[in-house]
Structure formats: C-alpha cells, structure tokens
Amino acid sequence: MRPTGKLHLGHLVGALNNWVALQEKYDCFYFVADWHALTSEYANTSAITGHAMDNIADWLASGLDPERSTIFIQSLVPEHAELYLLLSMVVPVPWLERVPTYKEQQETLKDKDLSSIGFLGYPLLQAADVAMYDAKFVPVGEDQVAHLELGREAIRRFNNIFAGGKEILAEPQPMLTTFGRLPGLDGDKKMSKSLGNTIHMSDSPEEVQKRVRQMYTDPKRVRADIPGTVEGNPVFIYHDAFNPDKAEVDDLLLEDVEPHNA
C-alpha cells in the first residue's frame, strides 16, 4: 500500500481482510510502497514517513502477524529499483500509456503534476515488486488486473530478450479479492484517499457516526415524499460488508425501505 494518507474502510474490506486470510495459506510479503508514493507525492514528501507508520499500525490492528508474514518498507530493499530499471529498458512506452488508470488518475488528481516518467512507469515498478520474489499470486482488486497483466507482459518480454525465453522471472497470476469496491461517502465513486470520501480505520466512533450521517444514500429519492428503494443504494453495500446479521440484510433487500442518513 502507498503511504499517502490514513487507511480507510475500503482498504479494510478490499485488501486487509483478504491479506489476513491469505497468511494462513501462503508465504506472504506485504510492504509499505513508499517509492510508489513518490509517483504522486514527490513535491511534498514530509508526510510519507508518518503515514507509513500509521499504515503499519492499522495492518497489525487488522490481524497481520509479523510472525507469519514478511512486512517491510519498499525503499529499504534497493533491488526493487534495480529490477525496475532493467524492466524499463525493454518495455515500450505505449504499453504504459494504455493502462486504464493512467489517464484516470491524471483526471482525478488535477492538482498534481503527474506528467513525470515515474508516474508513467509505476506499473513497471509494481511488476518488479512482484517478480522480485517469484510470486505465484498477487491479491488484487479488479481495477488492478490491467496493471498486473502489463507486468506479466513485461516479465515475458524480459525473459525473451535476456534469457532466450526461459522463465528466469515468474509470471504471476491475479488472485481477485472477494469483496469489490466500497463506495465512498459521495456514493458514486470508490472510497479513496485522494477523493476525500472516506471513513478512516482510525476514526473514533463519534467521527464514524458523523461521516455516515453525511453519506449519500438513495439515488432515486430526490425528494422527501418519494419512497426509497434498495436498488442502487450504497448503504446496502456497507450492510453486506459489515452487518453480521445476514438475515436482517436479506430481509431489508426484499422490501423497499425509506433510506435515512444513519
């Protein structure tokens, strides 16, 4: 994870819960991607170290166990950068420009200058992060599959050029997370640090309640006299993620309800 801010509930359901489960079955490597943070935060790096420490604290609180998983800081292993350099020698620029999130992030983060080589090449750095450890699987969300596929192509090209087609670097397979995107408080975007539509894992109960009460709920209920509906209501995605009473969730889904900010 990139240490660019506090972790939120989207990280919890989209990644951390899965990470905790995977450490029971696999030899897992989890790291703070501080070099990746530089791709967008290079102009002001003062907060990266603090965010890194906060992020790891949240990892441990979520159940990651240093006795069962390898947890480290990316920049303390310089071979990540060395392999990234070698991969960059053989990968064409158009491959990087076609990654869907490249232009998406430039549109989202208009207040930052993302025209750097570092930002363009971050999928290659991701490929190096994975190939470093001969990883067989990478836990990713659907929005990261294109990045991983680019990494697989880069590794394949590297093997063809430098090893005559022999697999000296393994091609990893995606392992999709079981829960999709968690919508942000604005309802129509994923929960994201850069969008500011988050509930932080470290928020107090009072802060969580305040944020939930501000949440966008039913897109069809544009006036108070219009009955609410379940379909399209982001609140029910939160029910699926956090409500342990599945019978209650199923019951609510069977009937129209009048959404409220609670």
Side-chain angles (χ1 to χ4, degrees):
M1 290 186 183
R2 300 194 323 142
T4 55
K6 293 183 177 182
L7 299 188
H8 51 70
L9 297 187
H11 293 115
L12 180 65
V13 302
L16 286 174
N17 285 345
N18 191 40
W19 288 11
V20 171
L22 289 175
Q23 69 182 354
E24 303 294 337
K25 300 179 180 179
Y26 298 93
D27 185 13
C28 298
F29 291 76
Y30 301 123
F31 67 88
V32 175
D34 53 345
W35 274 339
H36 279 291
L38 292 178
T39 62
S40 61
E41 310 300 319
Y42 61 86
N44 182 8
T45 63
S46 61
I48 290 179
T49 299
H51 289 323
M53 300 303 291
D54 288 343
N55 287 184
I56 290 181
D58 284 339
W59 293 3
L60 299 178
S62 300
L64 284 190
D65 184 352
E67 296 296 325
R68 289 181 290 173
S69 298
T70 300
I71 300 174
F72 64 99
I73 304 293
Q74 180 186 31
S75 61
L76 297 181
V77 186
E79 288 84 356
H80 284 255
E82 293 173 4
L83 184 53
Y84 165 61
L85 176 66
L86 293 174
L87 290 174
S88 71
M89 298 301 175
V90 300
V91 172
V93 170
W95 286 18
L96 298 170
E97 292 176 328
R98 76 175 189 227
V99 175
T101 53
Y102 175 61
K103 291 184 178 180
E104 177 184 312
Q105 286 293 302
Q106 286 184 317
E107 288 294 318
T108 300
L109 304 176
K110 290 183 178 179
D111 59 325
K112 300 180 185 295
D113 181 5
L114 301 182
S115 59
S116 67
I117 294 174
F119 182 75
L120 177 64
Y122 75 84
L124 272 189
L125 181 54
Q126 287 181 321
D129 296 334
V130 173
M132 279 275 299
Y133 304 98
D134 282 332
K136 302 301 186 292
F137 302 102
V138 184
V140 293
E142 291 184 358
D143 58 336
Q144 292 286 317
V145 171
H147 292 189
L148 186 58
E149 182 56 35
L150 172 64
R152 287 165 49 81
E153 291 178 351
I155 290 169
R156 196 177 307 133
R157 185 173 173 87
F158 180 94
N159 288 339
N160 286 335
I161 292 175
F162 292 126
K166 295 180 181 178
E167 190 180 85
I168 59 174
L169 295 179
E171 291 185 34
Q173 300 294 326
M175 181 182 288
L176 291 178
T177 54
T178 56
F179 196 91
R181 293 183 174 189
L182 192 68
L185 299 181
D186 51 6
D188 62 352
K189 299 283 187 181
K190 74 171 183 177
M191 188 170 284
S192 169
K193 289 178 288 188
S194 60
L195 296 174
N197 59 359
T198 60
I199 298 174
H200 297 132
M201 290 174 59
S202 57
D203 283 344
S204 68
E206 293 76 20
E207 289 172 320
V208 171
Q209 185 179 65
K210 180 180 178 181
R211 290 176 184 271
V212 170
R213 288 186 180 278
Q214 296 171 343
M215 185 178 179
Y216 179 83
T217 54
D218 192 340
K220 297 180 180 179
R221 192 168 185 249
V222 295
R223 296 194 315 272
D225 60 330
I226 297 177
T229 58
V230 170
E231 183 181 358
N233 190 329
V235 170
F236 282 89
I237 299 178
Y238 282 73
H239 270 297
D240 287 337
F242 299 110
N243 191 338
D245 189 345
K246 299 306 178 185
E248 178 185 31
V249 177
D250 292 341
D251 183 58
L252 290 171
L253 289 172
L254 290 176
E255 59 177 312
D256 284 354
V257 297
E258 183 168 319
H260 52 82
N261 291 327

